[in-house]
Amino acid sequence: MLGNTYGRAFGALGLVATFLLLLLPWTAYYASTPVTMRGNGIPEWKTAEDAYLLGVGRADITGPVVEINMMGYADTSQSGTGLRQRIYCRAFIIGHPEHAEDRIVYLVLDTQSGDTAIRYGILERLKELGPEYALYNEQNIAVTGTHSHSGPGAWLNYLLPQITSRGFDKHSYGAIVTGSVLAIQRAHQNLKPGYLHLGHGLTSGISANRSPYAYLANPDAERARYETDTDVDMTVLSFEDAESGDLFGALTWLPVHGTSLYQNNTLITGDNKGVAAYLFEESMRSTNPDFVAGFSQSNVGDTSPNVLGAFCEDTGLACRFNDSTCDGRTQGCHGRGPFFQFQDQGTRSCFEIGKRQFEAAKAILASPSMKQIELSSVSSYHIFANLSSYSFLSPFNQSRILQTCSAALGYGFAGGTTDGPGAFDFRQGTNDTDDDSPALKNPLWKAARGFVHPPSDEQIACQRPKPILLDVGAATSPYPWTPNIVDIQGMRIGPLFIIVAPGEATTMSGRRWREVVAEAAKNTFHIDEPIVVLGGPANTYAHYIATEEEYSIQRYEGASTLYGPHTLEAYVNLTLTYLPYLGDSKSQLPSLVPGPQPPININNSLSFITPVVVDSPGFFQDFGKALSSPGPSKTHVPGEVISARFVGANPRNNFRLEGTFAAVERYDSGTGAWVQVRSDRDWSLVYHWERKSTVLGTSEVQIDWEIESGSDIGSRQLYRIKYYGDSKSLTGTITPFEGTSGTFYVGHGDSQNEDTELV
């Protein structure tokens, strides 16, 4: 949700930041038993001819972890101060062994969303790699985000999401593109004959509906068909080596917002889906260190990981049902995760929601629901469509001729959500019949609306009952604020159909969309039981996709549905229009016209982000010097936090992609060497950076090891903490350095183990 997201953009500081910009033109858990398939060998009914061509790859996309606004909550005060968990792109390639051009690439990035410029950059880099990578192109690459709200920002194509990050940062952008291409390269280089299995299972305690008032606006008969108001059925696609029978990849779909970590968190992570992927990959490390787990987002729009509900901070009572306010205001209403009572920015809750997703995926993989997808069609399509004024027949009622509108955001958008409330007098559920809304009467907001772009009478009528706060589709100065041109993409692997959605579909929107596509696929391709999943937000960020009924309520999701009340129907119509292109033969179909091209704003985006000027260790100090260290006087045990502090330098000088800023090393008395046992990809090792003097360029780094219960802790052994940094001189030269803490003991007992002594 670009929001709670960009409802925050017009919060206490966000509105001011907007005008200024324009006027200045979370103990870690390890599974000890790896997931295995149903047998060690290959079942007799499998033959080489049954195999797909499969590849998986993972690469680091961690960009600037400090001094850059974080992407998701659009809170100008939420800038990175360190790293809890590196973020990654995970690539999955599925191809037909006999038809080289029939393959798809599904990317799962630990980012808030996919993006137009990011996708463009990936495609351009792949072209530079030569003919070997020409098979991967605009038609068959899907760039999806896990919707984490705790990653660095400043990389999106359009102006609106750039506002709170003070513009666009090519380094942040470059880290994502570079890592994504590397993940594709690794997947391509690891291509092998393999089997796909598909299964599903119900999950529990992972998500809750944060807008039940809007959900209840959907027809009673429709809601009666479902037992829950969020989708709790996880779909799992497994990748198995045809020769060895080993599991080497898994891709899942389940909707839950990446907002376990609250907006007061300033450490970079992949949020709950990043945790799930990390735990799954760790559980497989002993058998397959290259195993890749992707936890893809789905119809995430009205879901929340804050599963205990939303309560008022001052009274502890539930927030008002219809608009999620406390005493008429949004600011005190917050969702509660499983461990909300801990004042840790949602860290424990984040880990728990991630662990529940990992455990669900693991259980499904070992269940009878997993069935082989026999070798069949692998196909995809991609086009662009302009939704600023698109007329079409409703896919739900052929007697209705509908039209979309140029993109606009309503007043409820600025009210935020219970995952991240808005500010001032904005609140959810504000529509053009709400005469009691203070925001609608406030002349400041009317002036702000006019400053961006005054909506025309036609636009007001088209978007009704949304009261337009930001007519962003028509705002093009200094470059487009929000997309009107969106990606329409679909993929198919035999009976599995993937809707690649550019926005955040709500629970009911996703259900309707999948159901219509499943029925059409059954009729078009004569498939008895097609399976349809929805992945996104992907390729570009087009905010939300609410049902027409939910739109009428104008809570956050409806107010953030850009193209008017018929946005969902438009997406469904376009998906059905191009569904035949997922068939075995396209010879009788018209040539696929790519559609209007979106603007790429990489080189003309504004940036008011201050670069790193210089680093200094300070007087009589050296970079990497340990300022404080744990000592060997006691044996530390799991559950304790060990900290070391060093003379530091700005980590923006070198993102250390595929490397680490921090490490824990254990002394191996057998070899006399120090062995790295933790890095900053591990949830339990946390890197903090603090600026001490802007003028002098001094900073300090603190590294915390939250000692987890793990199989490698064992009896009393000797450890130390390492810091890896890079300093920048006044001439611009970047110089790497290291820091080493004092040694300390960790174990389950106090008895001295002489074998761990240094010699």
Side-chain angles (χ1 to χ4, degrees):
M1 74 194 167
L2 184 60
N4 308 331
T5 286
Y6 274 87
R8 297 292 307 178
F10 286 78
L13 295 175
L15 182 60
V16 175
T18 304
F19 289 144
L20 288 176
L21 179 60
L22 293 176
L23 292 174
L24 293 172
W26 184 302
T27 332
Y29 171 96
Y30 292 94
S32 59
T33 304
V35 175
T36 59
M37 298 306 290
R38 290 161 297 287
N40 294 325
I42 302 171
E44 291 183 1
W45 49 267
K46 292 180 178 178
T47 66
E49 288 75 20
D50 295 323
Y52 286 87
L53 193 61
L54 306 177
V56 300
R58 177 184 60 244
D60 190 351
I61 59 170
T62 310
V65 302
V66 304
E67 298 186 319
I68 295 291
N69 189 248
M70 297 170 73
M71 178 58 200
Y73 288 111
D75 186 337
T76 55
S77 65
Q78 189 195 26
S79 291
T81 63
L83 178 67
R84 175 172 283 279
Q85 179 191 48
R86 284 195 171 263
I87 60 176
Y88 295 91
C89 171
R90 294 171 170 90
F92 299 84
I93 299 178
I94 301 171
H96 196 287
E98 298 174 1
H99 309 289
E101 70 279 5
D102 292 351
R103 64 181 66 185
I104 63 171
V105 184
Y106 194 90
L107 302 181
V108 182
L109 281 69
D110 289 330
T111 58
Q112 183 269 343
S113 65
D115 172 68
T116 302
I118 294 291
R119 189 170 188 271
Y120 172 85
I122 292 170
L123 292 168
E124 290 299 300
R125 293 275 188 92
L126 288 172
K127 290 176 184 176
E128 295 171 3
L129 294 178
E132 183 181 356
Y133 288 88
L135 292 168
Y136 309 114
N137 53 59
E138 191 170 88
Q139 293 298 311
N140 61 13
I141 296 179
V143 183
T144 79
T146 61
H147 206 46
S148 167
H149 281 47
S150 53
W155 45 265
L156 285 97
N157 188 57
Y158 292 92
L159 179 61
L160 182 61
Q162 295 176 5
I163 288 171
T164 52
S165 64
R166 292 184 289 131
F168 184 84
D169 182 70
K170 289 189 176 182
H171 303 289
S172 184
Y173 166 84
I176 298 172
V177 172
T178 298
S180 297
V181 173
L182 181 56
I184 295 172
Q185 288 181 275
R186 287 174 171 167
H188 176 74
Q189 293 161 3
N190 293 327
L191 282 169
K192 67 186 78 173
Y195 304 115
L196 293 171
H197 292 81
L198 189 69
H200 64 91
L202 297 179
T203 63
S204 177
I206 292 174
S207 70
N209 195 305
R210 71 184 187 194
S211 282
Y213 182 72
Y215 178 85
L216 288 172
N218 295 305
D220 292 347
E222 183 178 33
R223 288 187 286 105
R225 295 169 52 203
Y226 305 98
E227 294 184 3
T228 58
D229 58 5
T230 62
D231 281 342
V232 297
D233 197 350
M234 176 185 281
T235 300
V236 179
L237 182 67
S238 70
F239 294 65
E240 180 183 341
D241 190 312
E243 181 178 353
S244 67
D246 292 337
L247 185 71
F248 64 90
L251 178 56
T252 79
W253 288 269
L254 181 76
V256 58
H257 249 93
T259 50
S260 287
L261 289 159
Y262 303 135
Q263 62 197 57
N264 61 349
N265 165 65
T266 55
L267 297 175
I268 301 302
T269 79
D271 211 273
N272 55 67
K273 287 193 177 288
V275 169
Y278 167 74
L279 291 177
F280 206 158
E281 290 166 358
E282 283 296 301
S283 76
M284 298 295 290
R285 176 169 288 202
S286 62
T287 56
N288 186 356
D290 297 320
F291 177 87
V292 177
F295 284 78
S296 183
Q297 201 52 266
S298 188
N299 49 326
V300 64
D302 50 1
T303 67
S304 173
N306 296 309
V307 294
L308 299 184
F311 295 85
C312 297
E313 289 184 336
D314 54 351
T315 65
L317 300 175
C319 306
R320 193 163 74 167
F321 183 68
N322 65 320
D323 60 4
S324 298
T325 59
C326 299
D327 195 25
R329 298 177 66 83
T330 64
Q331 291 90 324
C333 177
H334 289 278
R336 293 179 174 180
F339 293 101
F340 76 93
Q341 66 269 32
F342 291 92
Q343 300 300 308
D344 62 354
Q345 299 82 48
T347 303
R348 287 175 178 83
S349 291
C350 180
F351 191 85
E352 178 64 22
I353 296 297
K355 182 164 76 77
R356 292 176 187 180
Q357 291 178 74
F358 155 63
E359 291 175 337
K362 180 179 178 180
I364 293 167
L365 275 167
S367 75
S369 76
M370 298 297 293
K371 306 296 182 183
Q372 185 187 17
I373 300 179
E374 297 184 18
L375 183 61
S376 185
S377 298
V378 178
S379 54
S380 60
Y381 69 81
H382 176 278
I383 60 116
F384 289 109
N386 190 330
L387 292 191
S388 64
S389 182
Y390 174 60
S391 296
F392 59 98
L393 288 176
S394 169
F396 304 134
N397 184 346
Q398 292 287 299
S399 66
R400 299 178 72 194
I401 300 176
L402 305 176
Q403 182 171 312
T404 56
C405 326
S406 176
L409 293 159
Y411 278 67
F413 156 80
T417 73
T418 57
D419 289 340
F424 295 132
D425 48 11
F426 291 106
R427 66 190 185 204
Q428 297 188 75
T430 300
N431 59 38
D432 64 0
T433 64
D434 189 359
D435 295 330
D436 294 328
S437 171
L440 288 176
K441 300 176 181 179
N442 193 317
L444 174 62
W445 309 130
K446 292 181 180 179
R449 179 175 73 172
F451 182 83
V452 174
H453 183 271
S456 66
D457 291 343
E458 181 183 17
Q459 172 75 330
I460 292 171
C462 186
Q463 290 278 352
R464 185 167 289 131
K466 177 195 293 178
I468 298 171
L469 174 64
L470 299 173
D471 195 23
V472 285
T476 58
S477 179
Y479 45 92
W481 283 50
T482 301
N484 277 321
I485 297 172
V486 300
D487 301 70
I488 306 298
Q489 187 174 32
M491 294 179 161
R492 178 188 175 189
I493 309 105
L496 175 63
F497 292 81
I498 305 173
I499 301 166
V500 184
E504 299 178 54
T506 62
T507 297
M508 196 63 83
S509 288
R511 289 168 174 171
R512 291 182 187 177
W513 201 344
R514 293 196 307 262
E515 187 174 65
V516 171
V517 171
E519 187 64 26
K522 184 185 298 184
N523 297 329
T524 303
F525 306 119
H526 309 292
I527 300 173
D528 292 336
E529 295 184 19
I531 301 100
V532 183
V533 296
L534 185 152
N539 297 328
T540 193
Y541 185 66
H543 292 251
Y544 280 68
I545 307 169
T547 68
E548 187 172 349
E549 295 87 350
E550 293 163 348
Y551 185 92
S552 70
I553 302 301
Q554 283 295 294
R555 279 180 62 98
Y556 181 86
E557 296 79 19
S560 303
T561 295
L562 290 178
Y563 311 110
H566 310 304
T567 297
L568 171 62
E569 289 93 332
Y571 280 119
V572 175
N573 172 273
L574 286 161
T575 303
L576 296 180
T577 298
Y578 294 98
L579 187 66
Y581 288 88
L582 298 181
D584 294 325
S585 175
K586 305 174 181 65
S587 59
Q588 297 179 348
L589 294 171
S591 297
L592 193 61
V593 179
Q597 298 298 297
I600 303 299
N601 300 315
I602 300 168
N603 294 319
N604 62 318
S605 286
L606 296 172
S607 181
F608 297 93
I609 298 170
T610 305
V612 179
V613 177
V614 67
D615 290 290
S616 170
F619 299 114
F620 312 113
Q621 299 282 21
D622 295 307
F623 288 115
K625 178 183 177 181
L627 299 173
S628 64
S629 289
S633 59
K634 63 170 287 190
T635 298
H636 302 277
V637 297
E640 289 187 49
V641 178
I642 303 294
S643 298
R645 199 166 182 89
F646 303 90
V647 175
N650 199 309
R652 289 166 60 195
N653 295 325
N654 182 354
F655 300 155
R656 292 190 166 262
L657 293 170
E658 302 293 317
T660 188
F661 293 121
V664 173
E665 296 181 337
R666 183 175 61 216
Y667 183 68
D668 186 336
S669 59
T671 63
W674 288 95
V675 180
Q676 186 181 116
V677 293
R678 298 287 184 273
S679 70
D680 63 17
R681 68 176 294 276
D682 292 298
W683 187 259
S684 58
L685 192 63
V686 188
Y687 168 93
H688 304 269
W689 180 85
E690 181 183 7
R691 169 68 72 195
K692 304 304 291 186
S693 171
T694 301
V695 174
L696 297 178
T698 55
S699 62
E700 292 181 6
V701 163
Q702 179 169 312
I703 299 172
D704 298 333
W705 180 23
E706 301 167 354
I707 308 176
E708 67 281 1
S709 298
S711 59
D712 60 346
I713 297 299
S715 59
R716 188 173 187 262
Q717 298 181 70
L718 198 63
Y719 290 83
R720 69 185 186 185
I721 291 173
K722 292 285 291 187
Y723 162 47
Y724 299 94
D726 301 86
S727 62
K728 184 176 184 179
S729 70
L730 279 171
T731 62
T733 302
I734 306 297
T735 305
F737 63 87
E738 298 179 10
T740 307
S741 77
T743 58
F744 55 95
Y745 289 100
V746 176
H748 292 290
D750 294 327
S751 60
Q752 180 72 31
N753 183 345
E754 298 296 335
D755 290 340
T756 62
E757 292 284 8
L758 283 171
V759 292

